[in-house]
Amino acid sequence: MSRNIYAFLVTILLLFQNCSGQKKDTKFYDKDFKWSIQIPKDFTKVSAKEWAEKQQRGENALEKTTGEEVINEAKTIFVFKTDDMNYFEANYQPFDINIDGDYRENNRNVNHALYQTFRDNMPNARIDTLSSTEKIDSLFFYKYETKIYLPNNQILDIIMYSKLFDKKEFTVNIMFTDPKCGKEMIDAWKNSKFEK
């Protein structure tokens, strides 16, 4: 399995597991990407230790499903949540076009692999997807939206934004079943700033 979809798939698997969080400051700044964002006030931070434990369980599940070893090179920037079905996560991982190939083509392949993984693991769910680009603080990001209509009448929305910064792929994942929480995360992301 491509390393570029590992962190995202693990995150999706974690949506169906409980996790506890810690209260946090609402302002967040990442010096590597010179990125600042205001986290919605009712969200709690998921601890690094807890996230690592859940990533290991997710990795085991993915390896069982795909029959392939997954290599996790993603570094978590943050994970916040409210309830157990609304997650706001950012990460980065190495991506060198001289080794990994064309970034745009990679995004198409990742989107296809994500759709196929959801289809294989949720055969009774209706799944709609949309690929596009979107400008966030004057920077263009690839955007991949997935809407999963679950058999229990819940709708899971997943929005993945990604951009290549030199040799690092930066990704923001927004996952929600509560449209109000989803709007809060989307608004926070769209209002975030990257220092030029």
Side-chain angles (χ1 to χ4, degrees):
M1 175 177 294
S2 168
R3 71 179 187 210
N4 297 47
I5 63 173
Y6 170 78
F8 186 69
L9 291 175
V10 168
T11 303
I12 298 305
L13 288 173
L14 294 175
L15 282 173
F16 300 100
Q17 301 175 14
N18 290 327
C19 70
S20 60
Q22 301 170 350
K23 292 292 180 188
K24 47 74 193 134
D25 295 330
T26 58
K27 291 182 181 178
F28 182 88
Y29 179 77
D30 182 83
K31 64 181 180 181
D32 291 331
F33 295 98
K34 298 179 180 176
W35 174 49
S36 58
I37 186 168
Q38 184 83 28
I39 305 299
K41 65 178 180 177
D42 293 330
F43 280 65
T44 56
K45 185 174 183 180
V46 178
S47 74
K49 179 181 177 187
E50 181 177 8
W51 190 245
E53 291 170 357
K54 292 192 177 292
Q55 280 187 316
Q56 183 61 52
R57 286 199 296 269
E59 181 178 335
N60 294 341
L62 280 173
E63 288 180 349
K64 184 176 180 182
T65 299
T66 64
E68 296 179 28
E69 180 182 1
V70 292
I71 300 169
N72 181 13
E73 294 185 285
K75 304 294 183 194
T76 301
I77 297 172
F78 67 62
V79 183
F80 290 95
K81 70 153 190 160
T82 181
D83 301 323
D84 288 324
M85 294 295 283
N86 305 290
Y87 279 78
F88 198 8
E89 187 253 354
N91 69 70
Y92 70 91
Q93 60 190 329
F95 190 98
D96 184 339
I97 59 172
N98 295 317
I99 298 169
D100 301 306
D102 181 74
Y103 186 64
R104 185 175 178 180
E105 181 65 26
N106 176 72
N107 268 278
R108 283 195 290 266
N109 293 338
V110 166
N111 295 347
H112 176 74
L114 287 171
Y115 174 80
Q116 202 56 52
T117 300
F118 292 140
R119 173 60 52 221
D120 292 347
N121 288 283
M122 301 178 190
N124 297 323
R126 188 177 110 216
I127 302 170
D128 294 333
T129 62
L130 178 65
S131 297
S132 61
T133 58
E134 187 170 332
K135 193 184 285 187
I136 306 295
D137 192 32
S138 77
L139 300 175
F140 280 99
F141 284 79
Y142 288 100
K143 180 181 180 183
Y144 185 64
E145 300 174 79
T146 305
K147 190 177 285 283
I148 302 174
Y149 299 84
L150 300 168
N152 63 0
N153 294 322
Q154 276 193 313
I155 299 172
L156 174 61
D157 284 280
I158 304 159
I159 308 171
M160 179 174 66
Y161 292 87
S162 59
K163 179 174 180 55
L164 190 60
F165 288 83
D166 192 24
K167 293 185 179 181
K168 291 180 181 177
E169 180 184 36
F170 172 82
T171 302
V172 169
N173 295 304
I174 298 171
M175 297 150 282
F176 59 92
T177 56
D178 181 336
K180 179 179 177 290
C181 292
K183 183 179 186 314
E184 289 177 350
M185 290 184 280
I186 292 166
D187 288 348
W189 164 237
K190 288 184 176 182
N191 290 318
S192 68
K193 301 294 180 190
F194 292 87
E195 293 172 21
K196 308 302 185 282

